[in-house]
Amino acid sequence: MQFPEITPFSVPTATMNKDQTHWARPWHGFPNSRGLGSFGDANCMEQLLVHCANAIESSDATVAQQILWVLNNTAPPDGDSNQRLTCAFLRALVVRAAKSGTCKMLAAMANTHCNLSIDIHTFSVIELASFVDLTPWYRFGFTAANAAILEAVEGYSVIHIVDLSLTHCMQIPTLIDAIANRLKGPPLVKLTVAGGGTEHVPPMLDLSYQELGSKLVNFARSRNVVLEFRAIASSYTDGFSSLIEQLQVQHLVYAESGAGEALVINCHMMLHYIPEETVSPLSNVNSNPYSFESLSTQSLRTMFLKALRVLDPTIVVLVDEDADLTSNNLVCRLRSAFNYLWIPYDTVDTFLPQGSKQRQWFEADICWKIENVIAHEGLQRVERLEPKSRWAQRMRNAGFRGVYFGQEAISEVKTMLDEHAAGWGLKKEEDHLLLTWKGHNVVFATAWVPA
């Protein structure tokens, strides 16, 4: 990641000596440089970020600048994990101030003295495959989902997989490998993806979905599996309405023909981009795409899940990050994000050396997420994670019931975790699986069938 180059901010000339290029003195009530060390713990940094957010929201430029000075001197972009985390939030708050214009002096400082761009890497297929293998963050969901899918589609000669994945089908080759080894012979596999759904959300890929599809078809052929690939132009912004419409048409065709086809809906860290109830105004989104109730009474997430239920899928696998970033209150959102996103910064120190390209890419993705959560509002704020409990309630309300992950799935996840740092763990809650880091929930995996 090209982490933001946040150098010590300049200040109004009234508080700076004529010949100085650094602070003449900190404002009253804040420590001098020798006393800054006590501000380095995560709790203190979180409190300073909260005070800074409040100052920006109330257009109190003086207090905001005071706090920014302290944070800028205690949270270097090349520091420890807490400092790098705080630096990313500091940058996001400056971006918010610059966007809103509520603190004109801060906006001027941001534009003049700070490089606020994030260098997001665009991956080749090989790079992305290697990138997602770095940690269990994605591999956990891949492993749990593939095990559940294989069990659900046993005995079917045709398997239709609808892959809604943030990682551009990186899960699919492993699933094809497993399908190819089935004792009764490999079935026909149909793969449908929402092409262009997250083209501006990292990680980003350097080729089109048509090109990706060709690579997957060739890979499947090398494993003696017949794969049909289809990319449908559909986006999360309207709840994948185009995708749902085409799936509904196909569902009617197969229902009339009586053909036996397993329908697998694989949702991997994608559904939280669909707008939910706190988005305002939802009227900007295509109204009523699934012929359910109006948007005033249901969110697009609810409508999407109910549309899936009508399709009567064989299994729906839902994997996502276990956090709540939906609050319309900036401070609540900041606290929630800070107390969740310390995890990737902490984990990266265990497996990637400082200065490595992969570490830069990894932290740039987190930095992008933090900026989206903190600096943006309305439909531009797409990082709207919901915790496992809320997704489970949504699924039940849409007419699904949870199914247990078998012992084989649990064993495979544990084997995968053994390949990574000792801080990773597995927790089972009811019929769900949870990836943990040092005991803290990170990613959940759930499997559902029509009730």
Side-chain angles (χ1 to χ4, degrees), residues 244-295:
I244 290 293
E245 288 170 5
Q246 295 204 36
L247 291 175
Q248 287 172 337
V249 171
Q250 180 174 297
H251 177 66
L252 291 174
V253 171
Y254 277 95
E256 292 175 358
S257 65
E261 176 181 288
L263 175 60
V264 174
I265 311 294
N266 184 59
C267 306
H268 192 274
M269 299 189 185
M270 179 76 86
L271 296 195
H272 73 260
Y273 291 103
I274 298 175
E276 41 78 53
E277 291 87 346
T278 65
V279 181
S280 180
L282 271 176
S283 57
N284 288 349
V285 185
N286 186 26
S287 179
N288 204 7
Y290 309 138
S291 301
F292 289 116
E293 294 102 311
S294 68
L295 283 172

Side-chain angles (χ1 to χ4, degrees), residues 94-153:
V94 174
V95 171
R96 184 181 181 90
K99 282 170 57 68
S100 66
T102 54
C103 298
K104 291 183 172 57
M105 197 173 294
L106 280 178
M109 288 161 58
N111 294 332
T112 304
H113 300 288
C114 197
N115 175 15
L116 296 178
S117 63
I118 304 174
D119 187 11
I120 300 294
H121 182 68
T122 301
F123 292 90
S124 69
V125 171
I126 299 299
E127 285 177 336
L128 184 56
S130 174
F131 181 75
V132 299
D133 281 344
L134 286 174
T135 78
W137 205 281
Y138 296 112
R139 291 189 72 197
F140 164 76
F142 293 175
T143 305
N146 284 351
I149 290 169
L150 284 173
E151 184 175 343
V153 302

Side-chain angles (χ1 to χ4, degrees), residues 133-137 139-140 143 350-351 408-426 435-437:
D133 281 344
L134 286 174
T135 78
W137 205 281
R139 291 189 72 197
F140 164 76
T143 305
T350 67
F351 67 93
E408 185 175 343
I410 294 172
S411 296
E412 290 183 15
V413 171
K414 288 180 177 178
T415 300
M416 180 273 297
L417 292 180
D418 287 341
E419 301 172 14
H420 296 279
W424 294 106
L426 175 65
L435 174 69
T436 63
W437 172 253

Side-chain angles (χ1 to χ4, degrees), residues 324-339:
D324 187 356
L325 302 181
T326 60
S327 175
N328 279 332
N329 181 278
L330 174 62
V331 169
C332 290
R333 214 160 62 236
L334 187 152
R335 287 188 182 279
S336 183
F338 191 88
N339 285 284

Side-chain angles (χ1 to χ4, degrees), residues 370-404:
I370 290 170
E371 179 186 316
N372 190 265
V373 170
I374 300 301
H376 298 277
E377 294 294 350
L379 293 172
Q380 288 185 318
R381 178 158 59 84
V382 299
E383 284 291 342
R384 294 173 176 267
L385 290 171
E386 289 188 300
K388 172 181 68 70
S389 57
R390 200 176 301 162
W391 277 114
Q393 190 59 53
R394 286 188 185 278
M395 293 298 291
R396 286 191 288 266
N397 290 345
F400 291 96
R401 64 174 176 86
V403 294
Y404 287 94

